[in-house]
């Protein structure tokens, strides 16, 4: 989704903005722009395409100035074009705005503004917000009824932004520049993330910490409904849109610069796939007592008795996180014997769900900013359920609105296709299942200890599996031109089949379907012919004999079989066209390792098809719109 970066201070703003926009490229976008105050006037450059297209467009033009705003736009209202790109100017070019989010009531606001004589150049909701702020600035509260307007003596643009935002329905993170004011700008947020970095007489603003990290580790996460005035010669001033003063809460950023760089790999996705032994270790770190094998999950400890007594757990999530949730359903039900339902957040929010205060709702999200998941949580809270989160991004919105939760600690995930965040989510869900089977005594102690031992061994097994990268590349070469793929799995590995298919379609644009293997004969079998590659997860113990029957059905129709098997397997090997051998592992934990070759297969196929692996077309890393 859209990316925001802004700078005010003593340095040249332009290189900071461009580098920041490049760091935000992973979020997904289709146009880019910058606005600078140069000799007191605002200069704007914007262009459809990538940041590199913007740079080419700017060429040798003047980019001086030590204050500026930059934006990458992921098109919502209107196609990717120069005119729809940000920044957007006010009618008289006195102000310039960048915006991430969606102004849901933009068309009614636009109508009122048009009646007042405003003329719009773009199709965007963001330009409407710019004009609304301008109108309030020029005409006071004739559009907006704010009793505090007249007796407030702070800067007029600061006030106009606050008052205008009271009229807005929807989500926003904005930064606004004012002509003739090269020392300060304003930033505000509701529903879309925004971080302020504090340097030495300088401020940075960005959608996430990645553009800020190399300049400062002092940050403020702006809260919903807050507006900040950032003047390089003054301390931060924060007010709510209702004009209440807020004390800035300055935090230390825990990320490192290396964590957001490629570290010798060709792509972030490959780096993140290879990081999984470490990221899973980080997810487990400090959470398993080495002497007693007890699991400690500090963020949900105070709710343990409520979870034990719960009638059910409802997991809400989207995309890959939803697949992790499905694995959670299998493992929590199997080990802890708690009823689990897994819902697409986007469906849950509109289906009038039946919930009581005995239900536990767990939101799973890498970014912690997914709009559908956040809205579903709101509904769960309204209905009295306890809400918890499993998130990767520290300080993200979901972590702030839930009562408790467990961080995945996978480190920043930059590749749009989720890999290490998925295995970290599954690790957390396994820890939760193990913790509650221990509390509920649903698994004998001996078996529990074996499971813990196995979980601790997983990173080593993944390490071993990653050494098969070249073999997987060879399989990718054979199937890179396929038009369709079918992924089959059963039990714990049915969601792995779904996730394998999602990875392939996201980054290689090959149509792929995941299915529970036994369901194949109820429809998808009609698709199978000699052109159809079928990836089957056929590791031992997971309905192995049944899977072999499903494999025979595929072979009988000429399908090409790529099988994921347990090392030493003979039976499947004798039938399948290609096999990838997985280290032996307990059934409950196989998803953590079975997904690795599927991630690699997708990566290599996408690369061989010349696809942009890290920034696939049309996709955004953090989906902050409905
Ligand atoms: C797939 C992918 C998406 C996300 C989904 C949810 O590779 O990245 O399907 O999983 O958009 O995002 P989060 O987990 O940030 O809520």
């Amino acid at each position: 989704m859209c990316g925001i970066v802004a700078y005010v201070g003593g340095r040249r703003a332009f290189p900071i903005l461009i580098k920041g926009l490049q760091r935000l490229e992973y979020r997904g976008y289709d146009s880019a722009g910058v606005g600078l105050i140069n000799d007191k006037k605002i200069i704007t450059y914007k262009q459809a395409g990538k940041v590199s297209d913007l740079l080419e467009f700017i060429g040798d033009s003047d980019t001086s100035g030590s204050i500026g705003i930059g934006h990458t736009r992921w098109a919502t209202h209107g196609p990717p074009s120069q005119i729809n790109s940000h920044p957007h100017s006010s009618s008289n070019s006195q102000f310039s705005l960048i915006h991430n989010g969606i102004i849901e009531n933009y068309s009614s606001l636009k109508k009122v503004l048009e009646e007042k004589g405003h003329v719009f150049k773009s199709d965007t909701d963001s330009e409407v917000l710019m004009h609304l702020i301008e109108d309030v600035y020029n005409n006071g509260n004739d559009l907006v009824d704010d009793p505090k307007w007249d007796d407030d003596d702070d800067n007029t643009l600061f006030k106009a932004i606050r008052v205008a935002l009271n009229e807005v329905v929807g989500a926003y993170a904005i930064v606004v520049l004012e002509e003739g004011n090269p020392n300060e700008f304003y930033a505000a947020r509701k529903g879309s993330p925004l971080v302020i970095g504090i340097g030495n007489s300088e401020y940075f603003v960005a959608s996430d910490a990645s553009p800020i990290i190399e300049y400062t580790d002092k940050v403020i996460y702006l809260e919903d409904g807050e507006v900040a005035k950032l003047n390089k010669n003054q301390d931060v001033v924060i007010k709510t849109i209702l004009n209440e003063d807020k004390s800035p809460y300055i935090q230390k950023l825990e990320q490192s610069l290396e964590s957001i760089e490629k570290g010798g790999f060709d792509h972030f996705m490959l780096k993140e796939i290879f990081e999984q032994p470490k990221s899973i270790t980080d997810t487990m770190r400090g959470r398993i007592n080495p002497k007693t094998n007890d699991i400690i999950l500090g963020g949900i400890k105070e709710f343990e008795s409520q979870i034990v007594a719960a009638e059910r757990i409802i997991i809400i999530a989207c995309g890959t996180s939803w697949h992790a949730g499905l694995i959670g359903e299998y493992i929590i039900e199997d080990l802890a014997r708690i009823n689990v339902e897994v819902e697409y957040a986007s469906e849950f929010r509109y289906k009038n769900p039946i919930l009581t205060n005995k239900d536990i709702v767990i939101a799973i999200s890498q970014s912690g900013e997914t709009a559908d998941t956040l809205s579903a949580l709101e509904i769960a809270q309204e209905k009295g359920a306890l809400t918890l989160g499993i998130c990767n991004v520290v300080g993200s919105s979901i972590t702030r609105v839930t009562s408790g939760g467990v961080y995945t600690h996978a480190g920043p995930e930059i590749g749009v296709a989720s890999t290490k965040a998925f295995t970290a989510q599954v690790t957390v869900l396994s820890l939760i299942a193990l913790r509650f089977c221990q509390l509920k005594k649903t698994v004998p102690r001996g078996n529990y200890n074996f499971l813990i031992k196995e979980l601790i061994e997983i990173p080593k097994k993944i390490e071993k599996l990653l050494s098969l990268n070249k073999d997987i590349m060879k399989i990718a070469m054979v199937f890179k031109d396929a038009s369709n793929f079918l992924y089959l799995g059963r039990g714990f590995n049915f969601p792995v089949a779904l996730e394998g298919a999602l990875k392939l379609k996201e980054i290689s644009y090959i149509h792929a379907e995941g299915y529970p293997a036994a369901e194949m004969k109820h429809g998808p079998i009609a698709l199978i012919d000699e052109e159809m590659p079928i990836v089957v997860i056929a590791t031992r113990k997971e309905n192995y004999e049944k899977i072999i029957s499903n494999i025979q059905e595929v072979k009988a129709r000429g399908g090409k079989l790529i099988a994921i098997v347990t090392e030493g397997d003979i039976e499947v090997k004798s039938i399948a066209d290609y096999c990838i051998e997985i280290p032996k592992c307990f059934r409950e934990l196989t998803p953590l390792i079975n997904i690795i070759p599927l991630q690699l297969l997708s990566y290599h196929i996408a690369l061989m098809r010349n696809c942009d692996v890290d920034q696939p077309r049309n996709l955004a890393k953090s989906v902050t719109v409905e």
Side-chain angles (χ1 to χ4, degrees):
M1 298 276 118
C2 304
I4 280 180
V5 58
Y7 174 78
V8 59
R11 318 182 203 208
R12 251 188 87 211
F14 184 70
I16 295 172
L17 299 180
I18 292 297
K19 201 166 184 188
L21 291 180
Q22 284 162 339
R23 292 236 190 264
L24 293 173
E25 283 191 307
Y26 79 96
R27 294 169 69 88
Y29 73 107
D30 33 47
S31 56
V34 291
L36 298 154
I37 300 187
N38 167 332
D39 202 16
K40 302 212 166 149
K41 286 238 168 296
I42 299 176
I43 306 179
T44 303
Y45 300 107
K46 46 195 200 172
Q47 188 68 329
K50 295 285 179 188
V51 176
S52 52
D53 298 307
L54 175 69
L55 281 173
E56 204 175 304
F57 170 71
I58 295 172
D60 295 333
S61 307
D62 186 1
T63 54
S64 56
S66 54
I67 177 168
I69 53 182
H71 190 266
T72 47
R73 173 175 184 257
W74 188 82
T76 55
H77 300 68
S81 66
Q82 189 175 43
I83 215 83
N84 286 334
S85 311
H86 299 216
H88 289 287
S89 304
S90 55
S91 312
N92 54 7
S93 302
Q94 187 183 356
F95 308 117
S96 183
L97 164 142
I98 49 176
H99 167 227
N100 172 13
I102 286 195
I103 310 300
E104 287 170 13
N105 60 338
Y106 87 102
S107 64
S108 57
L109 291 171
K110 189 172 186 176
K111 195 156 168 271
V112 175
L113 289 164
E114 276 171 340
E115 278 162 12
K116 293 187 78 184
H118 287 260
V119 177
F120 294 92
K121 300 188 191 99
S122 76
D123 310 315
T124 64
D125 53 337
S126 311
E127 191 186 11
V128 174
L129 178 55
M130 179 72 270
H131 281 246
L132 177 67
I133 292 169
E134 176 190 28
D135 199 275
V136 176
Y137 179 89
N138 288 330
N139 303 315
N141 58 349
D142 73 339
L143 251 183
V144 180
D145 185 21
D146 176 13
K148 297 195 181 72
W149 175 262
D150 294 326
D151 53 4
D152 188 335
D153 61 359
D154 65 20
N155 175 292
T156 315
L157 177 58
F158 196 8
K159 209 169 5 177
I161 292 170
R162 288 197 324 267
V163 174
L165 289 177
N166 276 285
E167 293 307 294
V168 164
V169 178
Y172 54 78
I174 59 169
V175 184
V176 188
L177 279 185
E178 182 177 19
E179 190 180 86
N181 197 351
N183 292 336
E184 71 188 23
F185 50 51
Y186 302 88
R189 79 154 260 177
K190 181 180 163 236
S192 297
L194 209 61
V195 190
I196 298 168
I198 305 169
N200 217 346
S201 299
E202 60 184 355
Y203 291 108
F204 307 80
V205 178
S207 299
D208 63 42
S210 56
I212 294 178
I213 213 166
E214 64 188 280
Y215 307 106
T216 178
D217 62 359
K218 283 200 287 183
V219 294
I220 298 170
Y221 292 97
L222 219 52
E223 297 286 343
D224 275 352
E226 289 182 350
V227 188
K229 175 180 162 189
L230 300 163
N231 182 310
K232 69 174 183 184
N233 302 318
Q234 296 169 10
D235 289 341
V236 185
V237 181
I238 299 181
K239 289 187 175 224
T240 67
I241 59 172
L242 296 173
N243 202 18
E244 298 144 342
D245 295 321
K246 294 295 286 275
S247 313
Y249 172 48
I250 302 173
Q251 302 185 41
K252 189 168 184 314
L253 203 58
E254 299 294 348
Q255 278 176 28
S256 67
L257 191 54
E258 306 84 75
S259 69
I260 55 161
E261 293 187 329
K262 284 189 198 144
F265 286 88
D266 289 342
H267 297 95
F268 282 110
M269 184 181 176
L270 191 63
K271 176 188 174 224
E272 287 157 7
I273 292 173
F274 273 80
E275 265 173 4
Q276 288 174 106
K278 177 178 179 300
S279 54
I280 291 175
T281 306
D282 289 344
T283 306
M284 292 190 283
R285 194 181 306 285
R287 288 172 168 166
I288 303 174
N289 182 322
K291 289 200 183 106
T292 61
N293 278 347
D294 289 345
I295 289 171
I296 313 121
L297 296 169
I300 59 169
K301 190 149 186 46
E302 63 179 294
F303 308 107
E304 282 185 346
S305 50
Q306 210 173 328
I307 299 173
V308 167
E311 285 176 5
R312 59 182 179 157
I313 293 174
I314 297 156
I315 293 178
I316 49 173
C318 304
T320 288
S321 300
W322 184 77
H323 296 155
L326 287 180
I327 296 170
E329 176 184 2
Y330 278 89
I331 191 160
I332 295 170
E333 288 197 345
D334 188 66
L335 296 181
R337 307 307 293 157
I338 305 174
N339 179 12
V340 180
E341 290 169 23
V342 187
E343 300 264 9
Y344 282 118
S346 54
E347 287 299 314
F348 182 81
R349 61 185 287 196
Y350 290 116
K351 74 172 223 188
N352 191 14
I354 301 169
L355 279 173
T356 71
N357 57 6
K358 292 207 178 71
D359 291 320
I360 315 284
V361 173
I362 304 182
I364 306 181
S365 174
Q366 187 286 128
S367 62
E369 301 293 348
T370 301
D372 284 321
T373 313
L374 271 163
S375 303
L377 272 175
E378 236 171 74
I379 290 164
Q381 276 161 349
E382 275 164 24
K383 292 190 181 262
L386 169 68
T387 57
L388 304 173
I390 297 178
C391 291
N392 195 36
V393 177
V394 176
S396 56
S397 299
I398 290 178
T399 67
R400 287 190 298 212
V401 300
T402 41
S403 302
V406 186
Y407 276 118
T408 45
H409 293 315
E413 190 178 65
I414 311 286
V416 164
S418 189
T419 53
K420 64 174 181 170
F422 172 75
T423 46
Q425 289 165 345
V426 176
T427 305
V428 166
L429 289 159
S430 307
L431 289 169
I432 290 176
L434 285 160
R435 175 65 186 151
F436 288 95
C437 84
Q438 192 187 16
L439 289 176
K440 293 185 73 188
K441 300 194 175 19
T442 44
V443 169
R445 187 72 200 188
N447 295 10
Y448 171 85
N449 286 338
F450 277 130
L451 278 159
I452 294 283
K453 189 163 174 277
E454 184 79 350
L455 187 59
I456 293 168
E457 292 287 304
I458 291 286
K460 269 199 213 123
K461 295 190 177 178
I462 294 180
E463 201 85 67
K464 191 169 168 198
L465 200 46
L466 288 167
S467 67
L468 300 181
N469 187 29
K470 287 222 167 73
D471 302 324
I472 296 169
M473 199 191 298
K474 285 183 199 146
I475 301 175
M477 184 58 95
V478 178
F479 294 106
K480 68 178 176 29
D481 297 319
S483 310
N484 296 289
F485 260 77
L486 199 56
Y487 285 70
L488 304 175
R490 295 187 79 146
F492 290 87
N493 285 299
F494 154 53
V496 177
L498 293 180
E499 175 59 8
L502 179 65
K503 284 291 84 81
L504 187 72
K505 65 185 137 193
E506 284 182 297
I507 60 168
S508 73
Y509 318 139
I510 296 176
H511 171 244
E513 297 276 350
Y515 256 90
E519 273 294 304
M520 187 186 58
K521 57 186 171 295
H522 297 291
I525 199 162
L527 296 169
I528 297 177
D529 61 16
E530 296 75 22
E531 303 298 314
M532 175 70 110
I534 295 123
V535 179
V536 187
I537 303 159
T539 40
R540 280 228 163 253
K541 295 198 180 144
E542 190 58 287
N543 295 308
Y544 183 69
E545 279 73 27
K546 307 269 179 219
I547 286 263
I548 292 194
S549 311
N550 301 139
I551 288 175
Q552 297 286 15
E553 291 155 13
V554 168
K555 275 317 284 179
R557 286 154 186 88
K560 297 281 173 296
L561 262 173
I562 306 155
I564 311 294
V565 297
T566 309
E567 58 191 3
D569 181 283
I570 300 171
E571 213 167 341
V572 179
K573 263 188 162 170
S574 66
I575 321 169
D577 299 277
Y578 299 90
C579 278
I580 301 166
E581 288 197 24
I582 302 288
K584 286 200 180 80
C585 177
F586 281 0
R587 180 179 73 112
E588 293 82 351
L589 301 174
T590 47
L592 282 169
I593 52 178
N594 287 349
I595 191 60
I596 309 293
L598 305 190
Q599 294 170 343
L600 285 169
L601 186 68
S602 307
Y603 171 79
H604 290 300
I605 290 180
L607 209 60
M608 287 166 192
R609 290 166 70 97
N610 290 322
C611 297
D612 188 344
V613 171
D614 281 337
Q615 292 163 41
R617 69 183 178 205
N618 305 338
L619 291 183
K621 184 70 188 159
S622 161
V623 185
T624 51
V625 297
E626 246 193 83

